[in-house]
Amino acid sequence: MGSYIFNRFCYMLISIVLMSVVAFIIIQLPPGDYLSSYIMQLQASGERVDPAQVESLRRQYGLDLPMYQRYFVWVKNMLRGDFGRSFDWNMPVRTLIASRIPMTVAVSLVTMLFTYLVAIPFGIYSAVKQYSIVDYIVTVLGFVGLAMPNFLLALFLMIFFQRVFGFSPGGLFSPEYLNAPWSFARFVDMLKHLPVPIIVIGASGMASLMRVMRSSLLDEIKMKYVTNARAKGLKERVLLFRYPVRVALNPILSSIGWMFPQILSGATITAIVLNLPTVGALMYRALLSQDMYLAGTCVLFLTVFTLVGTFISDILLVCADPRIRFD
Amino acid sequence: MPDTILEVKNLKACFHLDEGQLRAVDGVSFAIQREETLGVIGESGCGKSVTALSILRLLMPPGKIEGGEILYYSDDNQVTDLAKLHPNGEQIRKIRGKEIAMIFQEPMASLSPVHTIGAQMMEFILLHNPGMKKNEAQEIALDMLNKVGVSNPALRLQNYPHQLSGGMCQRVMIATALSCNPRLLICDEPTTALDVTVQAQIIDLMEELQAEMGMSMLYITHDLGVIAEVADEVAVMYLGKIVEKCDVKTIFKKPMHPYTQRLMQSVPKLGSRQEMLDTIEGTVPIPIGMGAQCGFYSRCSHAEEGSCSRRSPALVEVEPGHFVRCFKYGSVEEGYLESANQI
């Protein structure tokens, strides 16, 4: 068990290194660099650009070096905690990301928690009462949630909240609390703003998880060991949760690996629509303006979250399913 | 004190499918005596397992018991009609496992893959012995595993089913089933999934344990050799009906129903030079929307147009203790006796 976890951890580290190369290549792929888009901006506003000045800027940012050298400089600096400078925001990437990571992770975790808390019970119910009215309702809602684009749902809910509760759920805070220090009132204000992003971001994940839970439990309920346990005189409810549900949860555990990045990336569009201070929106803007260090760091962070999520779900699966061998 | 422990009367079980009503068990009656073994034999799809599941009310939708009685005679001479109980109710749950235990065909699939053998055994011991301490339950589990010949039982309690062989799993199943001292053990093809040597060991073991614990058994199989070894009384099933019923010696010496005779002929004989196995042609028809006719009509070499194709024979006592359902032995049409009695 210990060696298995160690092995998986090593694989994860290797994957992170490989992914950093890929992330770096991807952000270098679009033609030009930040300076060329900066120059274009200046030219568009009618300013004259001195080629010598451009050249010196290029050297200053290390953009004249070959790609592999730039990669190593990037990695070396990151290991020291220096993620480079955002050209666009004109401030260290570290500061920018640090201010958004806690909110991003918080929103994602709460969304995940909510997703599982809703999806698992409804999945179980619609499997046990297959083809009942509730099963049909849950299934239809699930498909709607799966099919509807995030941003559309976000717009609907914003209008709904505006009309019914009389406040705009955009952002995580009302304007008056935006830059205020933490207080109880600010916390309550945040709670008021949370439901919309959680529902919007969680909707599709919830729907697919519910389907996974339902079909996985439907398979398990028909298994011989369930009949056997029933033949021993166990109560239906005890039987259900102790045997088939317990086994059917395994595929749900493995979903943690892909749920986390799905929520983070799903949050990007939602974050733009709802104006949430998360990493997703930041990354989108950075990619558009070729703000390479910022974009690279964002991509890398999302990758690391994905890999850590997979690592955690792998370990959980090993704990939950004795049939998985370590050797 | 009555000698009967279980009496099934005119049991009917159906599956309600889109194609129509499938009559899996169509008026089956038998009785199991104390400390005796009733062997039920028949090929796949003849309703053996559905009969067994019906007794413990384990038949799941679309399957349903449509009629008949399943009378269980408990130790204090109380009679319970299991067919009338709620399938998930408290009464049937008290009988399941404690009074009537059941062993299934595939031992590996019958154990939960994510719980240890010990956890599964102890759960059932504790369930039927409220107030018992965990270590007492573990003692019983160890004791039972020892009894069924599982090597290193203390270690096995920590094992998961996938770490055990099929034969070992079936021993665990038997140990679990017997750990609450049931009065009747229903065995639904317990050795079918095992190889022949293990099969022989398991059958010997079960016979030993039956004698030791004084249980009755309902033994379902399609293997004539197994029936010869374990059964006292034999019922041959075909298409949801019992076609012949007598004691085990008679069935092998003097099989009467054409189906039983063909079954006996299809067993290869040791020493005989036979190129081809003698088989029964065709397959069991699907009992959906079949009119009145003998179920074996389509495959029977003695079938007569007219009588066998239009009327369904009743099970009649041809010789003392030997019941056959065939017009060849002067059987009357089913329902005839009942209507005659009413007049």
Side-chain angles (χ1 to χ4, degrees):
Chain A
M1 180 84 174
S3 70
Y4 172 83
I5 293 176
F6 179 74
N7 277 341
R8 286 294 296 120
F9 188 74
C10 290
Y11 284 134
M12 185 182 77
L13 288 186
I14 294 169
S15 309
I16 289 178
V17 171
L18 289 176
M19 280 312 295
S20 74
V21 176
V22 175
F24 190 77
I25 292 173
I26 286 176
I27 56 174
Q28 298 286 337
L29 271 184
D33 48 37
Y34 175 71
L35 276 185
S36 39
S37 61
Y38 178 63
I39 292 162
M40 268 200 336
Q41 243 175 34
L42 288 182
Q43 280 170 340
S45 58
E47 281 183 51
R48 226 187 60 82
V49 185
D50 178 13
Q53 192 195 339
V54 170
E55 215 28 61
S56 80
L57 268 172
R58 187 155 274 161
R59 201 166 302 128
Q60 186 193 331
Y61 286 124
L63 293 174
D64 57 334
L65 296 170
M67 195 146 128
Y68 71 94
Q69 282 189 12
R70 271 181 283 156
Y71 171 73
F72 283 115
V73 170
W74 184 55
V75 171
K76 204 175 81 191
N77 286 337
M78 263 198 305
L79 289 178
R80 287 186 313 200
D82 174 12
F83 292 93
R85 216 177 153 74
S86 162
F87 305 121
D88 197 12
W89 297 72
N90 200 19
M91 58 200 285
V93 169
R94 188 179 161 169
T95 327
L96 260 176
I97 297 260
S99 68
R100 283 165 182 251
I101 283 275
M103 268 306 157
T104 308
V105 172
V107 169
S108 302
L109 284 183
V110 173
T111 307
M112 263 181 101
L113 195 71
F114 171 73
T115 307
Y116 283 98
L117 283 183
V118 173
I120 293 175
F122 277 104
I124 293 174
Y125 187 89
S126 68
V128 174
K129 301 263 153 110
Q130 197 189 5
Y131 303 138
S132 65
I133 292 173
V134 176
D135 179 29
Y136 282 123
I137 293 174
V138 163
T139 303
V140 168
L141 283 182
F143 281 132
V144 170
L146 209 55
M148 180 152 14
N150 278 350
F151 70 89
L152 194 64
L153 186 58
L155 291 175
F156 278 150
L157 283 179
M158 275 168 86
I159 294 170
F160 178 77
F161 267 68
Q162 182 80 57
R163 291 267 164 85
V164 176
F165 299 110
F167 76 97
S168 165
L172 277 183
F173 302 101
S174 305
E176 62 267 31
Y177 290 108
L178 196 55
N179 292 313
W182 277 104
S183 64
F184 183 69
R186 191 175 191 246
F187 181 68
V188 171
D189 183 62
M190 187 183 78
L191 286 187
K192 260 166 64 180
H193 282 79
L194 266 181
V196 175
I198 286 175
I199 294 171
V200 174
I201 301 168
S204 73
M206 204 187 303
S208 60
L209 270 184
M210 212 148 66
R211 298 305 290 177
V212 171
M213 185 72 216
R214 180 179 183 269
S215 66
S216 147
L217 185 57
L218 276 176
D219 283 346
E220 294 302 327
I221 282 178
K222 295 188 188 88
M223 291 296 203
K224 278 269 174 72
Y225 66 86
V226 178
T227 314
N228 185 34
R230 193 175 287 127
K232 296 278 186 288
L234 221 56
K235 264 189 197 159
E236 275 305 297
R237 189 163 295 232
V238 178
L239 172 83
L240 177 71
F241 283 97
R242 196 159 306 165
Y243 293 98
V245 168
R246 167 74 183 68
V247 181
L249 275 177
N250 287 354
I252 297 284
L253 285 182
S254 64
S255 73
I256 294 176
W258 52 262
M259 272 294 284
F260 202 55
Q262 195 197 11
I263 282 174
L264 281 174
S265 61
T268 303
I269 299 163
T270 316
I272 294 162
V273 176
L274 290 176
N275 190 25
L276 299 177
T278 58
V279 175
L282 191 67
M283 178 170 83
Y284 177 73
R285 186 170 153 189
L287 285 173
L288 278 188
S289 60
Q290 293 203 24
D291 193 350
M292 59 172 273
Y293 290 119
L294 181 57
T297 313
C298 288
V299 169
L300 203 60
F301 262 100
L302 291 188
T303 319
V304 169
F305 278 134
T306 310
L307 290 168
V308 170
T310 315
F311 177 64
I312 292 172
S313 75
D314 277 358
I315 290 174
L316 284 178
L317 260 185
V318 166
C319 297
D321 195 336
R323 285 169 297 182
I324 296 172
R325 314 240 168 155
F326 309 125
D327 34 53
Chain B
M1 194 159 104
D3 270 349
T4 308
I5 188 160
L6 186 84
E7 198 175 358
V8 173
K9 284 185 184 167
N10 201 19
L11 178 69
K12 289 185 180 178
C14 281
F15 285 87
H16 295 274
L17 306 175
D18 292 340
E19 295 85 9
Q21 232 185 33
L22 189 148
R23 294 173 168 197
V25 178
D26 193 5
V28 162
S29 302
F30 58 79
I32 301 170
Q33 309 302 326
R34 226 166 260 263
E35 298 187 26
E36 292 211 337
T37 302
L38 173 72
V40 175
I41 194 159
E43 61 196 295
S44 310
C46 71
K48 308 176 300 250
S49 293
V50 177
T51 308
L53 290 172
S54 301
I55 293 173
L56 275 181
R57 303 304 310 279
L58 295 170
L59 201 58
M60 287 284 127
K64 194 170 173 259
I65 295 181
E66 296 280 289
E69 290 173 294
I70 303 166
L71 302 176
Y72 173 69
Y73 298 83
S74 61
D75 248 343
D76 47 3
N77 283 334
Q78 282 209 320
V79 188
T80 320
D81 184 359
L82 304 183
K84 298 235 162 30
L85 297 182
H86 187 277
N88 296 324
E90 172 139 16
Q91 260 184 306
I92 189 75
R93 278 192 278 111
K94 284 238 164 92
I95 291 172
R96 284 178 189 160
K98 172 92 179 138
E99 310 263 324
I100 306 177
M102 190 160 174
I103 301 174
F104 295 90
Q105 188 170 358
E106 294 157 75
M108 289 279 207
S110 300
L111 289 163
S112 158
V114 299
H115 296 85
T116 59
I117 303 293
Q120 297 187 54
M121 288 188 76
M122 281 156 65
E123 158 143 56
F124 300 127
I125 297 171
L126 290 170
L127 178 72
H128 291 296
N129 296 287
M132 184 185 267
K133 291 209 178 69
K134 262 198 166 172
N135 51 354
E136 287 175 77
Q138 190 169 348
E139 279 304 307
I140 295 178
L142 275 176
D143 198 43
M144 284 313 301
L145 285 181
N146 250 327
K147 223 178 227 174
V148 298
V150 168
S151 59
N152 205 349
L155 176 71
R156 295 292 172 229
L157 285 184
Q158 313 295 320
N159 279 160
Y160 290 95
H162 70 268
Q163 293 166 308
L164 270 58
S165 66
M168 220 32 115
C169 277
Q170 196 56 287
R171 284 172 198 265
V172 169
M173 293 291 298
I174 297 171
T176 316
L178 299 187
S179 56
C180 291
N181 291 312
R183 297 175 64 230
L184 172 64
L185 184 64
I186 301 175
C187 308
D188 187 5
E189 311 209 29
T191 58
T192 304
L194 308 175
D195 57 70
V196 193
T197 44
V198 180
Q199 188 172 331
Q201 291 170 7
I202 297 279
I203 290 169
D204 287 345
L205 171 73
M206 294 188 51
E207 291 215 279
E208 250 171 63
L209 291 170
Q210 183 188 15
E212 188 184 326
M213 305 177 73
M215 298 182 294
S216 310
M217 275 212 275
L218 174 63
Y219 202 105
I220 293 168
T221 179
H222 58 252
D223 190 328
L224 285 164
V226 173
I227 281 289
E229 184 151 355
V230 299
D232 300 303
E233 192 87 4
V234 178
V236 182
M237 271 187 87
Y238 188 83
L239 212 64
K241 285 180 175 160
I242 292 180
V243 294
E244 186 161 4
K245 192 164 67 173
C246 59
D247 64 274
V248 68
K249 275 193 191 130
T250 317
I251 200 95
F252 283 97
K253 248 191 226 156
K254 197 183 173 189
M256 291 177 101
H257 194 279
Y259 175 63
T260 320
Q261 290 171 347
R262 298 288 290 159
L263 265 188
M264 297 294 170
Q265 283 161 14
S266 64
V267 178
K269 282 162 200 70
L270 215 59
S272 71
R273 287 176 179 273
Q274 216 176 347
E275 289 290 317
M276 294 283 282
L277 261 183
D278 203 356
T279 55
I280 308 179
E281 306 228 328
T283 49
V284 187
I286 296 163
I288 296 179
M290 273 174 70
Q293 60 164 283
C294 171
F296 195 52
Y297 171 71
S298 57
R299 302 167 77 188
C300 183
S301 49
H302 301 278
E304 275 174 32
E305 185 65 40
S307 58
C308 301
S309 64
R310 291 216 201 101
R311 292 179 298 148
S312 152
L315 192 67
V316 291
E317 194 165 8
V318 176
E319 286 170 9
H322 195 158
F323 296 82
V324 185
R325 188 190 289 277
C326 181
F327 288 123
K328 217 177 127 190
Y329 302 98
S331 174
V332 286
E333 189 176 354
E334 210 170 17
Y336 177 77
L337 287 178
E338 285 89 336
S339 52
N341 282 344
Q342 277 164 11
I343 300 164

